[in-house]
Amino acid sequence: MKIILASASPRRAQLMEQLGINFRIMVSEVDEQITPGQSPETLVQELARRKAEAVALGEDEGLVIAADTLVISDGHIFGKPTSPDEAVAMLQQLSGKSHTVVTGVAVVNAATGEVLTGAEKTEVYFRPLTEEEIWAYVRSGEPLDKAGAYGIQGLGSLLVSRIEGCFFNVVGLPLAKLAEMLRHFGVDLLNRPN
């Protein structure tokens, strides 16, 4: 079955490649404005669904996969920073504390319009960071396109003391959750013909 990843994230594409999934990328241009008052789990699933449905509209067949990730700390939602200063502010708030990473995943069958959504949560613990460490990390450029201003799979791994939950969720695509959702559509990632 044809599989499309509705994401510009190189990290999500890398994770799909790691699983040996044959897919193509089609980035959806959807409004990512958030509705106040929604729970983070509802919000990320809604944003992922919008992205997947936008791409599925232009397709006759196949499965469209989309995801959206947010970081929540002390009741504040952190998306991607819009500037180095905002990245610094986010990292200062996350320093020495735990926060929750929530990723919503949507899979849409383009032929039937059937939609399946789900969300995964992971607790991430940051060690206390010095101002010098925060600025050095921001100057690396890595945090500027990532929710919460860090990438656990890169230099950001040096900020994390431990996690509870799915590592891949923090990268941006909870693989076990995705595999479970694809099975619903008849795609078994462990039992594929070679």
Side-chain angles (χ1 to χ4, degrees), residues 135-148:
W135 278 102
Y137 181 55
V138 171
R139 278 194 300 274
S140 78
E142 186 177 276
L144 298 179
D145 68 338
K146 295 169 183 70

Side-chain angles (χ1 to χ4, degrees), residues 78-88 90 143-150:
F78 297 109
K80 296 173 186 171
T82 56
S83 68
D85 286 340
E86 190 178 4
V88 166
M90 285 183 184
L144 298 179
D145 68 338
K146 295 169 183 70
Y150 74 97

Side-chain angles (χ1 to χ4, degrees), residues 84-164:
D85 286 340
E86 190 178 4
V88 166
M90 285 183 184
L91 292 167
Q92 286 169 333
Q93 286 186 272
L94 298 177
S95 174
K97 297 190 292 197
S98 74
H99 59 272
T100 306
V101 177
V102 183
T103 299
V105 181
V107 180
V108 176
N109 183 327
T112 66
E114 183 184 358
V115 181
L116 188 61
T117 64
E120 190 74 37
K121 287 166 69 169
T122 303
E123 201 67 18
V124 179
Y125 296 79
F126 265 27
R127 64 179 179 77
L129 307 172
T130 66
E131 286 298 303
E132 188 181 343
E133 287 174 317
I134 289 172
W135 278 102
Y137 181 55
V138 171
R139 278 194 300 274
S140 78
E142 186 177 276
L144 298 179
D145 68 338
K146 295 169 183 70
Y150 74 97
I152 196 169
Q153 71 285 0
L155 281 175
S157 62
L158 303 175
L159 315 178
V160 177
S161 60
R162 68 185 172 97
I163 71 166
E164 291 172 8

